Amino acid sequence: CSSKRTLDTKLRRYIIIVYPYPSKGRSTQLRPFIYMKQCNKCKETKSLSGFYVDKGVRKASICKECKLRKQRETLYSPLGFKEENYQKMLIKQMGCCYLCGEKSKNRSLAIDHCHQSGKLRKLLCFKCNFYLGVVEKDVNLLKKMIKYLKSFS
């Protein structure tokens, strides 16, 4: 069947299933339903939920894990931080935020660091990293916030 061979060459990086449903007015044509894709970087085949949408139309060619790894390397490589260090810190903290102890469900943990010295500290969840960033320069503000919360409890 030559149409299957053409389809396979066009979508050779995809695993496909063909379902018989209409395609733009052509009731007899079969359309492929793509549900798995191979990452161009790690070469692993993953479900489409493992990829970001690229430019609003199609799935990106690099999986979410590889994209996050690349972002971490780009951001922290000037500080001498490598992906292996991140994995070691993640194992040491058992996948939990260092401050609140909660496991990150849908995001990877942020690498907390001092903006002045560049010294890396611990892995924090998005919420703790955000709040720490807000009050990092002014410890007195943090003390006032704690006093304020205690006065109402």
Side-chain angles (χ1 to χ4, degrees):
C1 146
S2 62
S3 63
K4 187 177 187 302
R5 182 177 292 155
T6 309
L7 187 62
D8 286 343
T9 53
K10 286 180 183 176
L11 301 170
R12 65 179 170 265
R13 287 186 297 152
Y14 299 103
I15 296 173
I16 60 168
I17 296 177
V18 179
Y19 287 102
Y21 59 93
S23 171
K24 295 185 181 176
R26 299 179 189 156
S27 59
T28 56
Q29 184 180 2
L30 299 178
R31 285 182 57 193
F33 177 73
I34 302 164
Y35 71 99
M36 299 286 282
K37 186 173 180 176
Q38 184 182 33
C39 173
N40 284 349
K41 189 148 179 114
C42 67
K43 304 298 182 198
E44 289 183 31
T45 303
K46 300 179 180 185
S47 69
L48 289 181
S49 63
F51 293 83
Y52 290 114
V53 176
D54 191 22
K55 297 178 184 166
V57 180
R58 61 188 182 96
K59 295 290 181 173
S61 58
I62 298 173
C63 68
K64 290 179 181 180
E65 291 175 22
C66 290
K67 185 162 180 127
L68 287 171
R69 190 176 301 122
K70 183 180 176 185
Q71 286 174 345
R72 280 194 295 265
E73 287 173 359
T74 305
L75 185 60
Y76 296 109
S77 61
L79 302 172
F81 191 78
K82 295 193 167 53
E83 178 64 25
E84 298 86 44
N85 298 358
Y86 180 84
Q87 295 301 328
K88 286 178 187 175
M89 289 174 76
L90 194 63
I91 291 167
K92 191 175 182 180
Q93 289 182 212
M94 295 182 284
C96 298
C97 172
Y98 186 77
L99 294 178
C100 68
E102 288 187 27
K103 242 185 180 159
S104 183
K105 293 173 187 132
N106 55 356
R107 291 182 169 208
S108 61
L109 294 173
I111 304 164
D112 182 39
H113 64 284
C114 177
H115 288 257
Q116 293 167 344
S117 68
K119 184 181 177 186
L120 300 172
R121 295 186 272 218
K122 298 287 180 180
L123 300 179
L124 304 177
C125 67
F126 175 78
K127 183 175 69 173
C128 291
N129 191 42
F130 174 77
Y131 291 139
L132 187 64
V134 170
V135 296
E136 182 178 25
K137 294 177 183 170
D138 191 0
V139 178
N140 290 328
L141 174 64
L142 183 60
K143 289 178 182 176
K144 286 180 185 177
M145 289 176 160
I146 293 169
K147 185 178 178 182
Y148 171 78
L149 288 172
K150 284 184 177 180
S151 70
F152 287 99
S153 60

